[in-house]
Amino acid sequence: MIKDRLENLYKELSEDINLVAVSKTKTVEDIMNAYNSGQRLFGENRVQELTEKYDKLPKDIKWNMIGHLQSNKVKYIASFVDLIHSLDSVKLASEINKQGEKNNRVINCLIQIKISKDETKYGVSFEDFDQFYKHINSLKYINVVGLMGMASLTNNEDVIKDEFKSISLLYNELKLVDKKIAHLSIGMSNDYKLAINEGGNMIRIGSRIFGER
Ligand SMILES: *Cc1c(COP(=O)(O)O)cnc(C)c1O
């Protein structure tokens, strides 16, 4: 099942799209099914679950932290995390930088942008972005490689499209001035086609691969 769903997705996606298989709440066996189909990029949203799975699973998996990250938990993932999608505050940035230095590795991050008006969504506002970005760029152990956004929880595709458009615009501006910028992480199981249409090149897909949670 997982293998078939994954293969169908691969067929659909062009090669420049990075597929992050979101394995939160799913078992080590489920992840190994995807792994054996060739998938190496996996996303988790809880630190404890991420570290447990890291311990148990093959070491060539690239683990992405996609969920809101508390500063006091960065230390548990700093030695191995491949990409943090959810850099959204100065406090978190300071801690990632500190833990990067301790582990002697530069940690790749995406700046999460608040593209939705939903109160539950995290992220840096468009207004605050320039200042935030300047600050982050001064931190030696953080490498910003792109932006991440989560659309509103709505069935209204026009709203989702507008939100993706807004972050895509910022991403394209940023790419012009910063050569490290390569990833626009937008789109999940229900809106990844819209995301790709708007220029997203990294999608985070859970239920469409692993089934409902
Ligand atoms: C759970 C989650 C996803 C995947 O959601 P699906 O709808 O199952 O594809 C993507 N991004 C984040 C940040 C998530 O927490």
Side-chain angles (χ1 to χ4, degrees):
M1 278 288 264
I2 289 172
K3 191 166 188 280
D4 296 333
R5 293 202 202 102
L6 202 48
E7 278 168 8
N8 285 334
L9 255 176
Y10 287 144
K11 265 183 229 155
E12 221 182 281
L13 300 174
S14 66
E15 272 182 20
D16 57 321
I17 305 292
N18 285 290
L19 172 62
V20 180
V22 177
S23 49
K24 63 189 187 197
T25 78
K26 299 299 173 180
T27 63
V28 162
E29 287 71 30
D30 286 341
I31 296 173
M32 278 312 293
N33 275 331
Y35 180 89
N36 289 329
S37 309
Q39 183 68 26
R40 291 294 180 273
L41 209 52
F42 289 88
E44 290 282 339
N45 71 338
R46 289 181 199 283
V47 166
Q48 190 177 347
E49 194 175 338
L50 175 55
T51 55
E52 284 170 13
K53 286 173 175 171
Y54 169 74
D55 284 341
K56 290 179 187 155
L57 284 152
K59 292 296 173 279
D60 62 340
I61 287 180
K62 294 180 170 184
W63 290 105
N64 286 15
M65 178 64 197
I66 61 171
H68 183 65
L69 178 56
Q70 283 173 288
S71 306
N72 59 1
K73 296 194 173 160
V74 174
K75 56 178 176 285
Y76 302 115
I77 61 171
S79 67
F80 70 88
V81 71
D82 175 67
L83 178 63
I84 295 172
H85 289 232
S86 44
L87 174 53
D88 64 354
S89 75
V90 169
K91 185 175 174 215
L92 176 61
S94 303
E95 187 59 24
I96 294 172
N97 190 55
K98 180 175 148 195
Q99 295 300 330
E101 182 167 19
K102 262 193 185 166
N103 288 278
N104 195 27
R105 69 190 289 257
V106 174
I107 299 178
N108 291 325
C109 293
L110 306 179
I111 297 176
Q112 182 170 355
I113 307 292
K114 186 169 169 23
I115 59 174
S116 162
K117 293 183 177 65
D118 289 359
E119 285 191 7
T120 53
K121 297 281 192 288
Y122 294 100
V124 176
S125 69
F126 287 104
E127 290 85 355
D128 294 341
F129 179 79
D130 283 350
Q131 203 184 356
F132 185 74
Y133 171 71
K134 223 177 253 168
H135 171 68
I136 301 305
N137 265 335
S138 72
L139 303 175
K140 268 172 64 183
Y141 292 90
I142 291 183
N143 186 34
V144 175
V145 292
L147 304 178
M148 183 273 228
M150 281 180 90
S152 298
L153 265 181
T154 172
N155 292 322
N156 186 338
E157 293 203 345
D158 290 334
V159 170
I160 298 174
K161 219 189 277 181
D162 281 348
E163 291 174 353
F164 286 161
K165 264 195 211 313
S166 65
I167 190 172
S168 192
L169 208 66
L170 177 61
Y171 172 77
N172 286 324
E173 284 174 10
L174 204 58
K175 253 174 92 81
L176 292 176
V177 296
D178 184 343
K179 297 295 167 220
K180 306 188 305 310
I181 299 295
H183 301 301
L184 178 57
S185 169
I186 48 176
M188 322 199 320
S189 290
N190 290 326
D191 56 20
Y192 73 93
K193 287 181 185 165
L194 287 175
I196 291 170
N197 271 333
E198 296 308 328
N201 60 12
M202 183 170 251
I203 56 176
R204 310 177 307 271
I205 306 287
S207 46
R208 189 172 285 265
I209 297 169
F210 295 106
E212 295 300 322
R213 288 179 296 272

